[in-house]
Amino acid sequence: MGELFVAPTLAAAVERLAADPGARPIAGGVGVMLARALGLPRAERWVGIGALPELRQRAIHVPTGALVLGAGLTVEALADRDAGPPAPRLLAAAAGDVANPGIRVVATIGGNVVARGSASDLVAALVALATEAEVISATGTRRLPVEDLCGAEPLESGALIRAFHVPAGKLRWGWQRLSIRGAMDRSSASVAVTAGERGVRIVATCISDRPLRFPNAEHALATALHAGSAGDALAGVRAAAVLDLASADLLDDDRVSGAYRRRVLPALVERAARQALARA
Amino acid sequence: MSDRAFSGLDPDAIEARIRGSIRFAGDVTVAGMLHAALVRSPAPAGRLRSVDAAAAAALAGVVRVVTAADLASLGLADDRFGTILPDQPIFAADRVRHLGEPVAAVVAETEAVARAAVDLVRVAIDAEDPLLEPDAALAPGAPLLHEDRPGNVLGRWGFSHGDLAAAEAATVRRFVGEYHSPAAQQVTFEPQVCVARWEGRTLEVWAATQSPSRVAAELARVFGIDPSAVRLHVPPLGGGYGAKNHAKIEPLAVALAALVGRPVRLANRRAEEFVTTTKHPARVRIESGVDSDGRFTFRRASIHWSAGAYAHSSPAVMRAGGLAVCGPYRIPAAEVESVMAYTNLPPAGSFRGLGANQATWAGESQVDEIARALGDDPVEFRRRNVVRPGDRLATGERVDDAHWLECLDRVAATIEIPASSDTTGARRGTGVALAMKHTMTPSRSEAVVAALSDGTIEVRSSLVDMGQGLRTVLSQAAARALDVPPETIRIVDPDTAVTPFDSTTSSSRGAWAGTLAVGRAAQALRQLLEAAGAVALEAPPEAIRLADGRIALAELPPGSAPTGPTIAELVATSGAPELSAHAVAVNDAPVDPESGVAASASHWHQAAVAVTVDVDPDTGMVAIREVHGAAWAGRVIDAGRARLQNEGGAIWGIGGALFEELEFPAGYPSATTLLGYRIPSIRDVPSVLATHALETPGGAGEPTGLGESVIPAVAPAVGAAVADATGLRLRRLPMTPERVARALAAETDGPWPEADPGGAPDRLPATPATGPLPPPTSPVDLELVVDGRSVRVRTDPLRPLRDVLAEDLGIRSVRGVCGVGVCGSCTVLVDGRAIRSCLRPVGLSIGARIQTAEGLPEGDAVRDAFVASGAAQCGYCIPGTVLATHDLLARDPSPDDEAIRQGLSGNLCRCGTYGRILEAVRAAAGRPNAESDS
């Protein structure tokens, strides 16, 4: 028989997870309950962490200036600009496209990243923002890029995400998402673009089993920005995106084919880049 | 009294749906009731080798496991059922013909135990190659699905009219095309559900069906009992759309109840709905000719339908599509063949727009192609060819009640659309299409109208209320004939022991049939009451009239009030418990006096639709910006409900045009949840959705029904608009982004490969049709605060909060529809926030304040706004939407329309009530609503 242990503190949660290798953390419960409803494999023992204040922090890290977002913050909270240091607008835009309001109000950032991985809208934005996840377990804490959480087993047994660290800095950004229905539809392709002091990042999710970067398109956009010819460079960004996709394994799923994704992604990259340029 | 005095909604029925206090068939409980769950075929075709139920039978709580072999003890008159064509076994005996076909059932003390036991049943099948396409099934030598159906032909229907040779000789341009429509699913939010109870040889059934009389008769036939021994109750439906038009699971529940000797409840889960009934996939080939004046010379059409494994309504669909494929045009010569083939797909059944959707997609798409190829304006081409009163349809039958031109003119005025100001490169186009759908002919509706001893007028009809406004129709028909206030009318829910025969509540016939049958019965009752009044007043009958519920002299002095006996007093004087009258309405097909040929339909549902779209050339996304629909109503009884029916139809059409599709690769459904099968959300409704219900001037017309009229025209209008925008003609529905993008790319780059050449991972597996139950966690005692009350439950802490609220606490308004967080019907407020209770573990809700729709206080402003706006049809989803609105307005007291659409984007309404919901939210926020155009 399984069980649910609602942890009173983060320390208690970590202790419980360490003591029971079969246990898994549960916060908003959306991913866990959806897996149950679909009859997918799941753990039988759960450690409730959704109410822990330690996972709901929202602060600026001193001295790096990075924004620290507790993994237990809800997806909806990312769009709330009055609850503390505001999340980057790119992240808020991506959050606004997650599922529906009734899910966003309980689904957590950490849960979304772990449960959805490379199929997450948020992951595209987080990776484009060069976000790191702070993972805690009984053996200590460590940081890793968000894209490293997108494998088949995102976290080792006994671990949970405490927070996300979003680097500071002024950014231009763009966001594109493609779905078949006007609302409440999983993305067929999500593209995030950032351009700032640390360079350009173009990231797509919901297209493959990993978040996809576009190095050629990033280079084309960065070069154009540096040269001040950005307005003319979009066609080059799009062409470069085609090259970036040449060797990519793209997903055929119940929404669209990989061939379609290959076809439309360069256009989405160009549009997101155009948005970023317009936000100069 | 004037008609206007009766216009408006039936507030009691609407309010009950909005409050969530209405009780559907699934809410019925009967003393001693057991629960059943079905063991379904895991293969689409094959020989059934064995069913090993030993482990299931041993599970605690299981009463019995039933297979086809057990049915022998029932001495059935027929071991196959089917309202039109009995070809479906209650349980598969020796072979399975579609995925999900019932092969056994578990009857248990609880539904959870029954479901758990189903997973323990081992079914062995020697799988065979399934026949998935009609052409394959019809090919010579194809294996037969039914031994008594040679060639896998379920039926053929067609006609040939006119001199085709002469017509072809007059032809100057010839057009040939092939058009495809996919399978789809009705997605009634209330699933198929039935409770059956035997008392000796008497059967009592509570079912979610649109056809109580027909289903009751079928149960009597199969089980070999007198029809009078079957009593079938139909509570209000949570959506029908054709899915509940024929017997589906009722014979199974009845058989199980007979075998275990106790009442049995059987209800589908959402995944099971996708293998119970679908929409017919169709391939339509059309060849048309026009002369030098741009007039039709001939049309040939061949339709191949996939019926799936069993008939259901296939014969009716085959005929309806065959009648619609030539459209409302003067075509002097035509030849149509409509062939229905058995295939190894789940049975296809009635689907809102029955048969006309597939045929009109083809027929009207080709009309648009012809017009554009001729350099003609598509509206002008239609004006030139459309039938006018007294003209003949392609079948050769004369049609006098023709109003397509009026419908066309009404929407044509709307399609002068300014050029796109979109800077993304979207291409804008407009399109128009007509729709012609027959109504079920012949059909019969009976009604009894009774005056009771307390003065109440009781209307007994077996027409089924599913939120389409039927109660208003019946109430007004009786009130008008009897000249009594509508509030004195009581409508009895269908109960075959009490309510008389009715063919079916489908084919958009309810308004017509109800008005006529109830009106006639009420008129007969009026005569009865006036005769009794004449005796009481000792006056000749012709000097008596009934007015305002009281007998009076027909010629009263000016200003004097009626002083004769009231209706209640007349009933009391009679010595009988009631005075009642019975009447019949039959819509026989009129016979053409010139040709002697009977018409195909007593009347036609007629409509025109115009749309404007933007097509994204990069992604293939089609954004519908405007939809204008005009439908012939004859007479509008209730303007509000008429608008809802029209708007709901338009939204239904949008889903079919853009994304509703159920594929069956290798015989397995591409979707078994509402995650994978998309129905329109509020954000898919265009910002301009204007519908018009056209009437005979002076209110002299007969109401013809509006539930389906505009639907068939939406997809071809969208297709025409896409063609206008891009120059591309899509001939396959739905027009998904990928399908449009592929067509656009094929113009320039050649066709894409179906599979991605980059070494794509395998296609994601389809969700299993019935997933195993999750392992239970240890039950714990939980204290919840629900609607202000503390309650204790002992349960699995990972159990969905919805299940606890609905099943343990009996709060039925928290509906379980999708179970995967998509639809919003299970919305509750937790600490003031609207959440999906199906995805909320109850163990994480301890200490939170849980608010349900049923627990909202009297005077709740949001709910009152919904009631005042009449923002409900079937109502299954609306309590959740009310709560989502609470959340929205708490955070944004003055939302604009975009904020409302965003805030309610996760609350789906299959009836398409979105326009009225928008109005309700605006009203709740204190914003004015514009006047309706309908």
Side-chain angles (χ1 to χ4, degrees):
Chain A
M1 294 287 276
E3 62 185 34
L4 171 66
F5 168 74
V6 179
T9 64
L10 180 59
V14 170
E15 182 181 343
R16 184 75 171 211
L17 288 168
D20 182 356
R24 292 289 181 272
I26 181 172
V30 171
V32 173
M33 298 300 283
L34 187 57
R36 282 169 67 96
L38 296 176
L40 301 175
R42 65 222 152 242
E44 293 185 24
R45 293 181 298 282
W46 300 94
V47 178
I49 58 172
L52 298 177
E54 298 99 317
L55 299 183
R56 296 201 165 193
Q57 61 178 317
R58 185 168 174 151
I60 300 295
H61 183 256
V62 178
T64 65
L67 174 67
V68 181
L69 296 169
L73 286 170
T74 65
V75 173
E76 184 198 61
L78 290 175
D80 186 349
R81 302 189 70 77
D82 300 324
R89 289 184 183 274
L90 167 61
L91 205 47
D97 280 339
V98 170
N100 59 53
I103 286 180
R104 293 197 288 271
V105 74
V106 294
T108 63
I109 314 172
N112 182 275
V113 168
V114 171
R116 303 289 295 154
S118 60
S120 160
D121 291 305
L122 284 186
V123 164
L126 289 167
V127 174
L129 291 164
T131 306
E132 289 188 331
E134 179 186 343
V135 175
I136 184 170
S137 67
T139 59
T141 62
R142 61 192 169 93
R143 296 254 203 114
L144 71 164
V146 165
E147 51 265 49
D148 288 358
L149 291 169
C150 294
E153 291 288 339
L155 286 175
E156 70 275 19
S157 172
L160 60 85
I161 303 173
R162 180 155 76 181
F164 295 94
H165 295 252
V166 185
K170 188 172 168 50
L171 288 170
R172 301 171 174 195
W173 63 276
W175 172 249
Q176 289 286 309
R177 182 181 194 268
L178 194 60
S179 64
I180 295 173
R181 182 168 57 188
M184 193 52 234
D185 207 1
R186 291 167 295 163
S187 171
S188 301
S190 297
V191 174
V193 169
T194 57
E197 296 163 0
R198 288 185 305 278
V200 171
R201 280 188 170 223
I202 302 177
V203 184
T205 56
C206 310
I207 60 166
S208 184
D209 57 2
R210 299 279 301 169
L212 195 69
R213 292 280 297 271
F214 292 77
N216 288 302
E218 290 172 357
H219 180 72
L221 182 57
T223 303
L225 282 166
H226 185 70
S229 59
D232 304 326
L234 290 169
V237 172
R238 183 171 181 156
V242 174
L243 288 177
D244 288 324
L245 291 166
S247 59
D249 285 345
L250 301 180
L251 197 63
D252 284 319
D253 61 21
D254 59 346
R255 281 153 285 163
V256 297
S257 71
Y260 175 72
R261 290 185 162 102
R262 189 176 302 282
R263 186 84 188 186
V264 301
L265 273 165
L268 297 182
V269 167
E270 180 189 345
R271 289 179 186 184
R274 179 183 291 117
Q275 289 176 327
L277 292 173
R279 291 191 172 103
Chain B
M1 294 184 193
S2 72
D3 280 357
R4 289 298 170 199
F6 297 107
S7 68
L9 308 170
D10 178 350
D12 292 341
I14 297 301
E15 185 163 346
R17 292 174 189 276
I18 293 168
R19 284 176 173 267
S21 58
I22 200 165
R23 289 296 173 255
F24 298 99
D27 301 325
V28 169
T29 57
V30 175
M33 185 173 82
L34 298 171
H35 297 262
L38 299 177
V39 180
R40 294 178 176 275
S41 169
R47 296 287 163 183
L48 185 56
R49 195 147 39 88
S50 64
V51 178
D52 178 359
L59 191 67
V62 169
V63 174
R64 185 165 178 180
V65 181
V66 172
T67 67
D70 298 305
L71 299 175
S73 66
L74 294 178
L76 300 176
D78 189 349
D79 60 0
R80 296 191 296 180
F81 69 94
T83 315
I84 299 179
L85 180 64
D87 61 359
Q88 184 166 3
I90 294 174
F91 293 106
D94 55 352
R95 62 185 298 191
V96 293
R97 298 181 176 89
H98 70 89
L99 185 91
E101 179 166 8
V103 296
V106 176
V107 184
E109 296 291 345
T110 68
E111 185 173 355
V113 170
R115 299 270 175 207
V118 161
D119 291 335
L120 300 176
V121 177
R122 296 287 165 260
V123 179
I125 290 173
D126 294 327
E128 298 170 345
D129 291 336
L131 293 168
L132 304 177
E133 301 288 340
D135 288 352
L138 296 170
L144 296 181
L145 270 86
H146 300 268
E147 298 300 329
D148 56 351
R149 290 281 159 183
N152 291 317
V153 176
L154 189 152
R156 289 181 191 273
W157 183 90
F159 68 87
S160 178
H161 170 259
D163 186 341
L164 273 165
E168 292 202 56
T171 297
V172 297
R173 293 285 299 271
R174 187 181 294 264
F175 300 86
V176 180
E178 182 171 303
Y179 307 84
H180 297 263
S181 293
Q185 220 278 323
Q186 296 88 342
V187 189
T188 59
F189 274 23
E190 173 201 39
Q192 308 279 347
V193 58
C194 178
V195 176
R197 174 171 70 185
W198 287 91
E199 296 282 350
R201 293 287 287 171
T202 300
L203 173 63
E204 191 163 18
V205 176
W206 292 259
T209 177
Q210 295 171 241
S211 310
S213 303
R214 194 152 64 177
V215 171
E218 179 63 2
L219 294 173
R221 188 190 69 80
V222 169
F223 290 90
I225 56 177
D226 191 88
S228 64
V230 180
R231 181 173 189 177
L232 193 147
H233 308 262
V234 183
L237 255 58
Y241 326 119
K244 299 166 180 172
N245 199 11
H246 295 266
K248 299 286 191 310
I249 64 171
E250 294 86 355
L252 285 71
V254 170
L256 295 171
L259 286 166
V260 299
R262 286 173 62 180
V264 169
R265 178 183 187 272
L266 177 62
N268 268 354
R269 279 186 166 183
R270 183 57 48 190
E272 295 177 288
E273 293 282 279
F274 287 87
V275 293
T276 299
T277 183
T278 66
K279 175 187 176 187
H280 293 77
R283 188 266 292 148
V284 184
R285 288 193 182 118
I286 307 184
E287 180 182 9
S288 299
V290 292
D291 64 15
S292 55
D293 295 328
R295 297 179 193 277
F296 275 115
T297 52
F298 77 94
R299 176 168 272 190
R300 279 197 187 88
S302 164
I303 312 177
H304 280 191
W305 310 84
S306 172
Y310 302 108
H312 287 203
S313 60
S314 288
V317 169
M318 174 179 69
R319 181 172 181 270
L323 284 168
V325 74
C326 288
Y329 299 107
R330 293 187 298 251
I331 303 178
E335 189 172 71
V336 170
E337 183 187 48
S338 183
V339 182
M340 187 66 73
Y342 283 112
T343 56
N344 289 116
L345 300 184
S350 305
F351 187 96
R352 197 175 180 185
L354 183 121
N357 293 336
Q358 298 92 326
T360 307
W361 162 244
E364 283 297 285
S365 291
Q366 194 182 64
V367 168
D368 194 71
E369 287 181 60
I370 295 170
R372 292 178 193 279
L374 297 177
D376 209 348
D377 175 66
V379 172
E380 288 307 315
F381 181 86
R382 287 179 170 86
R383 283 192 177 122
R384 190 181 311 126
N385 285 281
V386 73
V387 292
R388 292 165 164 78
D391 285 342
R392 293 185 183 279
L393 294 168
T395 55
E397 65 192 81
R398 179 184 159 111
V399 55
D400 291 315
D401 193 29
H403 302 278
W404 285 280
L405 186 58
E406 294 158 68
C407 295
L408 178 63
D409 287 343
R410 188 65 184 260
V411 301
T414 67
I415 60 173
E416 298 297 328
I417 306 297
S420 170
S421 58
D422 195 322
T423 57
T424 64
R427 302 177 195 171
R428 180 162 296 180
T430 63
V432 65
L434 301 181
M436 168 180 133
K437 181 189 171 294
H438 91 308
T439 197
M440 182 181 178
T441 306
S443 68
R444 178 183 180 92
S445 286
E446 300 179 17
V448 170
V449 179
L452 308 186
S453 59
D454 63 355
T456 299
I457 302 297
E458 193 168 274
V459 175
R460 299 166 193 156
S461 160
S462 292
L463 287 162
V464 177
D465 173 24
M466 42 195 137
Q468 78 278 47
L470 183 82
R471 299 174 72 90
T472 305
V473 167
L474 302 186
S475 178
Q476 290 185 14
R480 201 158 74 126
L482 288 165
D483 202 356
V484 295
E487 56 268 22
T488 64
I489 309 285
R490 183 167 70 211
I491 310 295
V492 177
D493 282 337
D495 170 354
T496 56
V498 175
T499 56
F501 178 85
D502 187 273
S503 292
T504 176
T505 309
S506 60
S507 199
S508 303
R509 62 181 295 280
W512 168 84
T515 299
L516 212 57
V518 172
R520 286 174 179 169
Q523 191 61 42
L525 176 63
R526 180 189 184 103
Q527 291 171 4
L528 196 63
L529 292 169
E530 287 178 343
V535 173
L537 294 184
E538 297 181 344
E542 60 271 18
I544 292 297
R545 71 181 176 90
L546 182 66
D548 288 331
R550 180 184 288 272
I551 288 294
L553 292 172
E555 294 184 8
L556 283 174
S560 60
T563 55
T566 63
I567 290 176
E569 288 165 347
L570 289 171
V571 175
T573 303
S574 74
E578 65 179 39
L579 293 174
S580 65
H582 169 266
V584 179
V586 177
N587 67 328
D588 283 325
V591 175
D592 185 339
E594 290 179 35
S595 65
V597 174
S600 309
S602 59
H603 65 262
W604 297 92
H605 300 300
Q606 309 174 37
V609 169
V611 304
T612 306
V613 305
D614 283 343
V615 182
D616 182 335
D618 287 324
T619 65
M621 285 292 296
V622 176
I624 300 178
R625 303 180 64 88
E626 296 193 14
V627 173
H628 300 266
W632 181 251
R635 175 160 59 89
V636 173
I637 298 170
D638 177 338
R641 293 284 114 181
R643 187 183 140 210
L644 277 175
Q645 289 283 289
N646 262 337
E647 288 184 358
I651 293 165
W652 188 273
I654 288 170
L658 297 185
F659 41 73
E660 287 198 41
E661 181 174 26
L662 190 58
E663 296 177 285
F664 286 91
Y668 295 80
S670 56
T672 54
T673 72
L674 296 191
L675 282 169
Y677 188 86
R678 298 166 186 83
I679 62 173
S681 72
I682 195 169
R683 302 203 73 182
D684 296 298
V685 179
S687 53
V688 176
L689 172 55
T691 59
H692 317 276
L694 307 185
E695 297 181 86
T696 303
E702 276 189 359
T704 59
L706 290 166
E708 302 167 285
S709 302
V710 302
I711 296 171
V714 175
V718 172
V722 170
D724 186 44
T726 65
L728 285 171
R729 179 65 55 182
L730 278 87
R731 297 189 179 91
R732 186 179 291 274
L733 286 174
M735 291 171 271
T736 60
E738 177 160 359
R739 211 160 263 153
V740 174
R742 280 180 178 275
L744 285 165
E747 291 284 295
T748 53
D749 308 342
W752 299 348
E754 282 299 318
D756 185 63
D762 289 339
R763 192 179 180 87
L764 290 180
T767 306
T770 51
L773 276 185
T777 48
S778 305
V780 294
D781 290 317
L782 301 173
E783 186 161 333
L784 303 173
V785 181
V786 181
D787 295 335
R789 295 178 297 117
S790 285
V791 291
R792 280 189 168 277
V793 291
R794 181 170 178 78
T795 189
D796 168 4
L798 281 183
R799 197 166 158 222
L801 174 61
R802 191 218 80 86
D803 293 358
V804 174
L805 294 173
E807 296 168 9
D808 295 8
L809 303 180
I811 303 173
R812 291 292 187 174
S813 63
V814 190
R815 296 286 168 193
V817 173
C818 73
V820 291
V822 173
C823 73
S825 297
C826 67
T827 298
V828 297
L829 297 176
V830 173
D831 290 335
R833 302 308 310 273
I835 65 144
R836 306 298 160 115
S837 62
C838 68
L839 293 185
R840 185 66 175 170
V842 64
L844 297 182
S845 306
I846 302 166
R849 289 175 294 109
I850 299 165
Q851 178 70 58
T852 73
E854 281 171 270
L856 288 171
E858 288 304 316
D860 179 77
V862 172
R863 186 175 60 199
D864 288 352
F866 272 67
V867 172
S869 301
Q873 292 190 68
C874 87
Y876 218 74
C877 64
I878 295 297
T881 307
V882 168
L883 292 174
T885 303
H886 263 279
D887 186 344
L888 169 67
L889 296 181
R891 289 176 293 116
D892 181 359
S894 302
D896 60 18
D897 281 2
E898 177 51 31
I900 297 172
R901 287 168 182 265
Q902 175 62 30
L904 300 182
S905 60
N907 288 80
L908 301 179
C909 173
R910 185 52 157 165
C911 298
T913 316
Y914 295 124
R916 205 54 84 81
I917 290 171
L918 263 172
E919 291 176 6
V921 181
R922 287 187 203 127
R927 284 176 52 200
N929 276 298
E931 287 295 313
S932 163
D933 191 34
S934 290

